[in-house]
Amino acid sequence: MTNTDTKIVLTGFMGVGKSTVARYLSKFLSSENRDLDDFIEKKETRCIAEILNEDGETAFREIETKNLRKILETGARVIALGGGAWTMERNRKIIKQNNYTSVWLEATFEYCWRNIIFSRIERPLAKGKAKTHKLFQERQQIYCLADWHFIVKPDSDARNIAEQIYREVFT
Ligand code: S3P
């Protein structure tokens, strides 16, 4: 039996695997899978990289917050956030107000970086290893404000992490 009131947002650095874990978790819960970046792209009819490259980060964050409100209103049980969404205080407030529990997926920088460079997704805020590492370090203290914390080890697979979250957070 799962606690039917529980709804979570998944946060963590780019490349940690939030979207994949969210997909597995939604399957376990037989619920719809929601991904904030996909949601933004559909609503704005532009891809995230285009928005960031054309409008800049400040404008992107405004768009992100606007769409975060909308996606939370859907009441989906699992929402994968983009890696920067949780770092904005206003977003953390909105997430709480909507009774969502936050779950931080943490991996080493090297793990995330490998996934970033081998990914087909363009991530304008992850340009250059040194700069991205700095961003990673700066964000650790904000990610750790999440309600739950799960470690992604180099040999752990997304299905196992999802199972762990399912067991510990939802039941
Ligand atoms: C960002 C992470 C990306 C995306 C955008 C900005 C960030 O999502 O929202 O490129 O600031 O960390 P992923 O974490 O899914 O890559």
Side-chain angles (χ1 to χ4, degrees), residues 14 18 37 48 52 60-61 64 82-84 123-125 139:
M14 293 173 264
K18 301 177 290 291
D37 282 350
I48 301 294
L52 275 165
F60 169 70
R61 295 294 171 210
E64 186 175 52
R123 291 176 167 100
L125 298 184
R139 285 183 176 177

Side-chain angles (χ1 to χ4, degrees), residues 113-151:
W113 181 246
R114 217 170 307 124
N115 289 335
I116 290 169
I117 57 175
F118 288 118
S119 164
R120 54 176 179 81
I121 299 167
E122 188 194 341
R123 291 176 167 100
L125 298 184
K127 290 257 160 73
K129 190 172 180 183
K131 247 170 102 179
T132 310
H133 189 212
K134 192 165 169 270
L135 187 63
F136 177 91
Q137 284 176 319
E138 285 165 3
R139 285 183 176 177
Q140 292 299 93
Q141 58 187 327
I142 311 179
Y143 288 136
C144 77
L145 299 174
D147 302 313
W148 288 80
H149 178 203
F150 290 85
I151 308 263

Side-chain angles (χ1 to χ4, degrees), residues 71-85:
I71 203 170
L72 292 170
E73 278 168 15
T74 67
R77 297 188 74 192
V78 181
I79 298 173
L81 301 177

Side-chain angles (χ1 to χ4, degrees), residues 5 25 42 59 89 92 121 128 138 148 150 156 160 165:
D5 291 339
L25 202 43
K42 277 196 198 106
E89 193 183 356
R92 295 197 296 277
I121 299 167
E138 285 165 3
W148 288 80
F150 290 85
S156 42
N160 286 342
I165 298 173

